[in-house]
Amino acid sequence: MARELSKIINNWVPKESKVIDFGCGDGSLLQKLIQTKNVLGYGVEINNSKIEECIAKGVPVIKQDIDKGINEFESSNFDLSIMARSIQCLKSPNLALERMLNLSKRCVVTLPNLGYWRCRLNLASGKMPVTPELPSSWYETKNIHLCTIKDFEQLCIDQNIKIKDKVFLNSNGDSGILASINPNLFAIEGVYLLEK
Amino acid sequence: MKSITKLINFSEGIALESGRRLDSFDLMVETYGELNESKTNAILLCHAFSGDHHAAGKNEDQSIGWWDQIVGPSKAIDTDEYYVVCCNNIGGCSGSSGPTSINPNTKKAYGSDFPIVSVSDWVNTQKMLMNKLNIPHWHFVAGGSLGGMQALQWSIAYPDRIKKAGIFAAAAKSSTQNIAMNEVARESIRKDKNFHNGNYIEQNVIPKNGIKTARMLGHITYLSEKHMDLRFGRKFQDDASKIDKEVDFEVENYLQYKGEKFSESFDANSYIIMTKAMDGYDAAGKKDSLDEALKEIKAELLIVGFYSDWLYPPERGKEIQIAAINNNIKSSYMVLDGEHGHDSFLFHSEQYSKIIKKFIQS
């Protein structure tokens, strides 16, 4: 995970909070949060080798397909749920958002921006975007629900979800000026802190 | 691998959950490796229904331990690094006090008079063993199936004496279907004409047919449909190696063979006692709330289920995981394919062994 991204998320995570990270990968974000914020963290991951890496790091992890539902964690009183770069891979991103906000007061969501100028250029040339951030061809991508920054913020409005904070990252992974002036065109990634 | 097998007597006896008492009892114990100076490297293995103290390596009879694929030098549970302890549980028939032991009060075999024991009773005897071996805490307590229930019970009953628990192919309680299967097995034993209400030792007979049928049924529940299909298919048994002339298919012959072998070594009363303990276990306890029951746990948990296991399917492990999260317990839940159905916990696979090893080390 890009350093800037984990720094932002780090800022939003309260000390000693209870955190669940959906699509936690090798557990490095949680490991960092455990070390720096002393959180009680759980990862959710579907890939066995990634799970193995979490266990090696001492990061508690749960094998699960997020698409099959996350309702069972609703009784666990999480302070924060995180879904970094995964929501666009889900069958129902809107339902996932609802559920994350049912099981924790706040959630952090990061997503790639299909409105990024490079993507638009690709489309203008008549082809599906293939960029460094979205490197897979249309037939093999896991990103089945890509959207633009505008689309996502509209969804938040439609679902009565409050955007408490947001940061836009440029292609260097920094929160650059252009990306913050016109994120829909210049940001490659949106990072959101959401609340119901 | 340094391995020691010995019988340890506990003359102080134990008060059992059922209210009855054993005034004195024995545990047959096997240990591997050595306890380090700081006494921080002890691991307890809890055996499943028909297991015993012999978990790893070859014993005098050249028989290989029940968890030899997982336990040994450089294996997932590394006997070069850890001091590994395994005991036969009371009520069993492999050396520890059980229905075939002599009742010191009557000087006769207990037979059907051996008291009903529970998972908690086993954990309590293992704790007494721990004290006798001068082990301050277990670094890891692990087991599969009924053994996994003991690992869970350890973390509930003695939170200060256990650092990590491995709960594999197990559940916080037996399902209705588990109990139903066990009852069919018990019925076949009880209705064997040689059972004599459990006092067959006095009659100098054993209810061999009953035990055999029970084990045949058990075996079907331990394997997955796919695994049975792959292993036996609809192949016919060749005449020369047929155990019984009634046998047609290979799978029949296999079950006949396994049942026959088991009935020669396993005690019928033990079969009943062990399955009753399995059926009776409910980690949720008297309050009937798993969330409540797990409150005091301090150990980190590793829960592993197998997709091919329909006897204790992965969802049962997930229930423990959710209750653990609700109680802020550091706990991981993994599901592996496992080719061997419920028995998968016994077998090495690269991922299974790695996860166990890394969990112990982390």
Side-chain angles (χ1 to χ4, degrees), chain B residues 111-146:
Chain B
S112 66
D113 194 39
F114 195 84
I116 284 290
V117 294
S118 69
V119 168
S120 290
D121 292 332
W122 290 336
V123 167
N124 292 339
T125 56
Q126 290 157 1
K127 157 93 176 340
M128 292 166 79
L129 171 64
M130 175 192 207
N131 291 343
K132 200 154 258 187
L133 297 175
N134 262 323
I135 295 168
H137 67 261
W138 299 112
H139 178 68
F140 185 48
V141 176
S145 190
L146 185 53

Side-chain angles (χ1 to χ4, degrees), chain A residues 18 42 52 61 63-64 76, chain B residues 318 325-326 328-329 333:
Chain A
K18 189 170 174 182
Y42 298 88
E52 208 181 289
V61 63
K63 160 117 182 181
Q64 188 166 322
S76 302
Chain B
K318 185 72 166 287
I325 296 176
N326 291 349
N328 299 342
I329 296 161
Y333 167 73

Side-chain angles (χ1 to χ4, degrees), chain A residues 6-20 29-30 32-41 77-82 104-108 164 193-195:
Chain A
S6 61
K7 217 167 83 189
I8 298 163
I9 295 176
N10 211 20
N11 284 338
W12 292 342
V13 177
K15 269 198 177 133
E16 284 164 15
S17 54
K18 189 170 174 182
V19 178
I20 188 161
L29 174 65
L30 277 176
K32 199 175 160 195
L33 293 175
I34 291 166
Q35 284 163 358
T36 59
K37 293 285 176 87
N38 195 25
V39 303
L40 175 64
N77 288 318
F78 281 102
D79 300 301
L80 187 82
S81 51
I82 299 172
S104 61
K105 293 181 276 287
R106 290 184 162 194
C107 74
V108 172
K164 294 295 288 180
L193 178 64
L194 307 172
E195 212 179 80

